[in-house]
């Protein structure tokens, strides 16, 4: 079945640093989504991407839908302590249009 | 925006008992809802797709008789874990497709079976 490879698995950064994480797949997706999950909570949508090549920003977050439709990246600029959490990429594709999640990137920010 | 309310947020039950988890769309109608399971430090795994007024579609490997899903109205889907065992302990999350807002998730339910 379709799978998403998300990297890195975890990151430890200093407050103020920029962060980059990405997802790749061997399958084509029609939509890429980036979520953040805090402990004990459900995922919250950060950015949605609907077109190949699309570059979208949400505050300090920027995400791009790869031209090949098989990858996406998320950048966080000038990280702050509240950016701590697990970030998931998710793709929608295939005949049933199900939402498939990457394995997540755990972000830790040192003040 | 679209809000999905999930209840309870946590539950502890004895082995062999059943537990019901509710997922409600508060300000929109959801013909389709989804149930996920998440183990510690792992990603969300789709268990089943819940369709209003019809039977749920279960993913491969998910026991339909153990995880009963009912989607009786356009705003409510329930997941019942029947005859729960410790290995069923997990974080269960529902989501609904909310038109322009896309997939919106509930806040999850932490189930602990003792």
């Amino acid at each position: 079945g379709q799978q998403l490879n998300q990297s890195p698995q975890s990151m430890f950064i200093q407050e103020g640093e920029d962060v980059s994480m990405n997802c790749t797949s061997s399958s084509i997706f029609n939509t890429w989504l980036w979520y953040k999950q805090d402990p004990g909570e459900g995922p919250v949508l950060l950015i949605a991407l609907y077109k190949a090549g699309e570059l979208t920003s949400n505050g300090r977050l920027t995400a791009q839908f790869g031209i090949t439709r098989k990858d996406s990246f998320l950048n966080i600029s000038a990280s702050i302590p509240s950016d701590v959490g697990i970030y998931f990429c998710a793709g929608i594709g295939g005949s049933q249009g199900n939402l498939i999640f990457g394995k997540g990137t755990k972000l830790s920010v040192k003040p | 925006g679209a809000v999905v309310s999930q209840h309870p947020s946590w539950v502890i039950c004895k082995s062999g008992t059943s537990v019901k988890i509710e997922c409600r769309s508060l300000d929109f109608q959801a013909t389709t809802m989804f149930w996920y399971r998440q183990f510690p430090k792992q990603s969300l795994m789709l268990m089943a797709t819940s369709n209003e007024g019809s039977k749920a579609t279960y993913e491969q490997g998910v026991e339909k008789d153990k995880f009963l899903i009912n989607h009786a109205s356009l705003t409510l889907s329930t997941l019942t874990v029947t005859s729960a065992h410790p290995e069923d302990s997990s974080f269960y999350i529902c989501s609904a497709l909310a038109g322009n807002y896309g997939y919106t998730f509930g806040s999850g339910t932490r189930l602990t079976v003792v």
Side-chain angles (χ1 to χ4, degrees):
Chain A
Q2 292 178 304
Q3 288 187 325
L4 294 183
N5 301 307
Q6 184 172 351
S7 64
Q9 188 175 11
S10 62
M11 303 180 74
F12 296 85
I13 62 169
Q14 200 76 35
E15 182 178 359
E17 289 183 353
D18 297 342
V19 171
S20 185
M21 58 192 80
N22 70 84
C23 271
T24 61
S25 174
S26 58
S27 304
I28 289 175
F29 286 91
N30 301 317
T31 301
W32 283 93
L33 306 167
W34 285 93
Y35 290 88
K36 182 189 179 197
Q37 186 179 27
D38 291 325
E41 298 287 331
V44 174
L45 181 65
L46 300 174
I47 292 180
L49 302 160
Y50 301 105
K51 282 176 56 176
E54 180 181 354
L55 182 70
T56 298
S57 294
N58 177 7
R60 293 178 296 106
L61 278 61
T62 302
Q64 183 158 32
F65 192 150
I67 289 289
T68 64
R69 294 165 63 191
K70 294 182 179 180
D71 64 300
S72 177
F73 71 75
L74 174 71
N75 287 342
I76 306 173
S77 62
S79 58
I80 59 178
S82 62
D83 290 334
V84 165
I86 300 178
Y87 293 78
F88 289 100
C89 65
I92 301 175
S95 57
Q96 296 187 343
N98 285 343
L99 187 62
I100 298 169
F101 281 87
K103 294 190 183 302
T105 295
K106 183 177 181 181
L107 179 63
S108 301
V109 180
K110 290 184 289 185
Chain B
V3 178
V4 173
S5 174
Q6 188 172 341
H7 179 81
S9 55
W10 61 270
V11 58
I12 302 173
C13 70
K14 289 186 177 180
S15 189
T17 62
S18 295
V19 173
K20 180 186 284 188
I21 303 170
E22 293 187 349
C23 183
R24 293 181 185 273
S25 57
L26 296 188
D27 47 4
F28 66 99
Q29 293 183 331
T31 56
T32 303
M33 290 187 174
F34 305 88
W35 288 95
Y36 294 83
R37 183 174 182 176
Q38 186 179 31
F39 289 108
K41 298 183 180 180
Q42 293 193 22
S43 188
L44 287 77
M45 297 300 296
L46 180 65
M47 298 175 65
T49 302
S50 170
N51 303 298
E52 188 267 335
S54 65
K55 291 183 179 180
T57 304
Y58 290 81
E59 294 300 300
Q60 193 172 7
V62 178
E63 299 176 59
K64 59 180 68 176
D65 294 330
K66 181 165 190 60
F67 298 100
L68 299 179
I69 291 173
N70 184 281
H71 194 156
S73 78
L74 286 171
T75 59
L76 173 64
S77 175
T78 60
L79 169 69
T80 302
V81 183
T82 63
S83 186
H85 289 100
E87 58 266 30
D88 298 324
S89 298
S90 190
F91 193 55
Y92 293 87
I93 307 173
C94 69
S95 78
L97 201 50
N100 292 335
Y101 297 101
Y103 288 89
T104 302
F105 288 82
S107 54
T109 298
R110 171 75 57 197
L111 171 62
T112 302
V113 185
V114 297

